[in-house]
Amino acid sequence: MKVKGLRWWVIGLICLATVINYIDRTAFGVMWPEMGKDLGMDEADYAIMLNVFMITYAAGKFLSGKLYDIIGTRMGFVVSIAVWSIASVFHAVARGLVSLTLFRALLGLGEAGNWPGAVKSNGEWFPVKQRAVAQGIFNAGASLGSVIAPVLIAFLYGRFGWRTTFIIIGFLGLIWIIPWLFINKAKPRKHPWITDEEKKFISQGSLENVFDEDEKREKGLSLIKILSYKESWGVLSARFFIEPIWWLFVGWMPLYLHSEYGFSIEQIGSTIWISYLGGMAGSLLGGWYCGKLMETKTTDAARKITITIGGVLIFLGLLGIIFFVQPDSPMSFIYITGIVLFGFQFAIGNIQTLSSDLFRGPSVGTLAGLAGSVGAVSVIIMNWLIPQITLKSYTPAFILIAVLAPLAVLSILVLIRKVRPVEIE
């Protein structure tokens, strides 16, 4: 049996895994107002939970990047989604700070693998000119999950309560493993279902080219060697500066709407999905736009133009939130946040693909995982700051992340002189 466009089935499943990933993580913030009451916990405890998640998430990004380099993307995804799904189910038996801390830590460890796994898989299944599109489809899963999650979680919570809701969404991930193992039987070069035409097309600049005729894999660079190139620091710096922008809204927007506007769980679920529609559109259009630019421009120019446009949209959107959103107009906040998330996703897919643009083989997973860990560290810092700088207003938080957007763009423009494979010495 031969399947045309097999690579799109693979990225489609990864997109679906990302949807499930975001449903699992978003459930905590959406249900927290009632969940916190049941467990006798407050917003300070919530901040602790966010950082517990991000600490293991940071460690998990790097560890899973190495794991995927060792066991491959097929089994790497199985390990990641099994761990985070089981952790989600465990939330149902949480009794307080200690038990919930353990379950949030396990969730962060498992969910982290989705990102370096996607970058590596896209490098294997897509040539350079389609890689941003593939990454955009993958990142659209994050936004789509954020669109679906509030509505789905509010629905399940209203009928079953928060404990059963965690069990239901946990089983979604375990079910996903079945079609993944069935469809993603092997890498493109050995997959029994792939057509000769698609195999030839994928071989034009994909990570499959790190295999020689004897199928022997090229040895990956050491971490120290990877860090000896300033291009690597461009990737790391960009992720450090840009990640808190997304996570401010993912982690704190439900609490912001509850505290500032008195939104209930049902109201949160029925409104914040609108903002994430902007993020989903940005994911798809960012990849498509970069691919169109590559028809007439170099990879370097296409990546940098797309990332810069995304950074400008983030900055302008945050200025809109700071100066134009009024205390009695929550929907204006929702709509302008959609612009910010559009800009973020427009840029981030191209930032994430830089690891596979600059390096190849096992080195890609290592750099992508480390970049994810560095980004998570900056989010941890942000989560620690938020309760301290938002005692009277969230405006200081919005000013802080508005500054980060141009810094992310400058990191790439200054440190990555050319987006192309580095010359290994």
Side-chain angles (χ1 to χ4, degrees):
M1 182 177 71
K2 299 295 182 180
V3 177
K4 290 185 177 181
L6 186 61
R7 66 192 185 281
W8 300 110
W9 285 91
V10 173
I11 189 59
L13 281 173
I14 294 175
C15 177
L16 180 59
T18 312
V19 171
I20 297 170
N21 186 298
Y22 263 79
I23 290 173
D24 287 0
R25 74 174 65 180
T26 304
F28 184 68
V30 172
M31 295 191 292
W32 176 256
E34 297 301 323
M35 185 180 172
K37 289 179 184 177
D38 289 348
L39 297 176
M41 300 168 70
D42 56 21
E43 284 197 14
D45 296 318
Y46 179 79
I48 292 174
M49 293 297 98
L50 287 183
N51 272 345
V52 165
F53 175 89
M54 289 308 305
I55 288 170
T56 57
Y57 191 75
K61 282 287 184 74
F62 179 69
L63 294 174
S64 59
K66 299 296 289 185
L67 177 68
Y68 279 64
D69 284 341
I70 295 171
I71 68 175
T73 54
R74 182 175 187 261
M75 293 310 300
F77 268 105
V78 172
V79 172
S80 294
I81 202 164
V83 169
W84 94 56
S85 297
I86 292 170
S88 180
V89 173
F90 281 170
H91 280 59
V93 297
R95 291 293 180 268
L97 183 63
V98 176
S99 58
L100 192 56
T101 296
L102 291 175
F103 303 148
R104 294 305 293 174
L106 186 62
L107 186 75
L109 192 64
E111 289 199 341
N114 203 49
W115 272 256
V119 172
K120 188 171 178 64
S121 181
N122 290 345
E124 293 168 348
W125 281 90
F126 291 86
V128 172
K129 63 182 180 181
Q130 283 194 338
R131 210 167 287 163
V133 175
Q135 196 69 19
I137 293 172
F138 157 67
N139 279 326
S143 299
L144 181 59
S146 298
V147 168
I148 294 172
V151 180
L152 177 64
I153 298 305
F155 173 82
L156 294 175
Y157 170 82
R159 283 154 181 77
F160 305 110
W162 64 268
R163 294 186 187 275
T164 303
T165 298
F166 275 114
I167 295 174
I168 294 172
I169 61 178
F171 272 97
L172 290 177
L174 297 175
I175 294 170
W176 175 91
I177 293 174
I178 298 172
W180 172 255
L181 291 176
F182 180 70
I183 292 175
N184 190 17
K185 297 179 181 295
K187 292 181 180 179
R189 191 159 188 160
K190 293 184 176 180
H191 202 295
W193 294 355
I194 194 169
T195 64
D196 291 337
E197 292 81 5
E198 185 172 21
K199 186 186 296 185
K200 182 179 180 180
F201 179 75
I202 291 173
S203 69
Q204 300 171 8
S206 78
L207 295 188
E208 284 289 280
N209 288 338
V210 304
F211 292 85
D212 61 23
E213 294 179 357
D214 295 325
E215 300 287 317
K216 292 182 180 178
R217 194 170 184 174
E218 180 180 306
K219 184 179 180 181
L221 301 176
S222 68
L223 179 59
I224 294 177
K225 184 66 175 179
I226 291 173
L227 294 179
S228 68
Y229 297 96
K230 68 176 183 179
E231 290 85 353
S232 298
W233 289 100
V235 175
L236 298 179
S237 299
R239 292 293 297 275
F240 180 86
F241 290 127
I242 203 168
E243 289 291 337
I245 298 169
W246 176 262
W247 284 92
L248 176 72
F249 294 101
V250 170
W252 292 93
M253 186 157 61
L255 271 71
Y256 173 78
L257 292 173
H258 177 72
S259 62
E260 294 293 318
Y261 300 108
F263 275 28
S264 65
I265 289 178
E266 289 76 13
Q267 287 174 308
I268 292 171
S270 64
T271 54
I272 65 173
W273 64 270
I274 298 171
S275 299
Y276 289 109
L277 278 180
M280 185 169 64
S283 298
L284 298 174
L285 290 176
W288 172 83
Y289 181 72
C290 186
K292 290 296 290 183
L293 287 179
M294 286 185 185
E295 295 178 2
T296 56
K297 299 182 182 295
T298 63
T299 300
D300 175 71
R303 291 273 189 259
K304 289 179 177 177
I305 290 171
T306 307
I307 291 168
T308 301
I309 292 173
V312 170
L313 289 173
I314 293 170
F315 186 72
L316 293 178
L318 286 166
L319 289 182
I321 290 175
I322 294 167
F323 292 109
F324 298 110
V325 172
Q326 301 299 318
D328 59 348
S329 57
M331 292 312 298
S332 63
F333 170 79
I334 293 292
Y335 295 136
I336 297 177
T337 296
I339 297 174
V340 176
L341 299 186
F342 178 95
F344 177 90
Q345 291 292 351
F346 196 87
I348 193 64
N350 288 278
I351 293 175
Q352 289 170 335
T353 60
L354 290 174
S355 297
S356 57
D357 290 332
L358 299 171
F359 294 92
R360 62 180 189 172
S363 304
V364 175
T366 301
L367 179 57
L370 180 60
S373 296
V374 169
V377 168
S378 68
V379 177
I380 292 170
I381 296 171
M382 181 200 69
N383 287 335
W384 174 76
L385 283 173
I386 293 299
Q388 302 181 57
I389 65 176
T390 58
L391 295 175
K392 295 182 179 180
S393 167
Y394 271 76
T395 299
F398 296 134
I399 293 173
L400 173 64
I401 62 173
V403 173
L404 296 180
L407 290 177
V409 174
L410 286 173
S411 296
I412 292 170
L413 298 180
V414 173
L415 294 174
I416 304 179
R417 186 176 180 183
K418 289 286 184 181
V419 178
R420 62 187 180 187
V422 299
E423 298 179 2
I424 307 299
E425 299 175 356

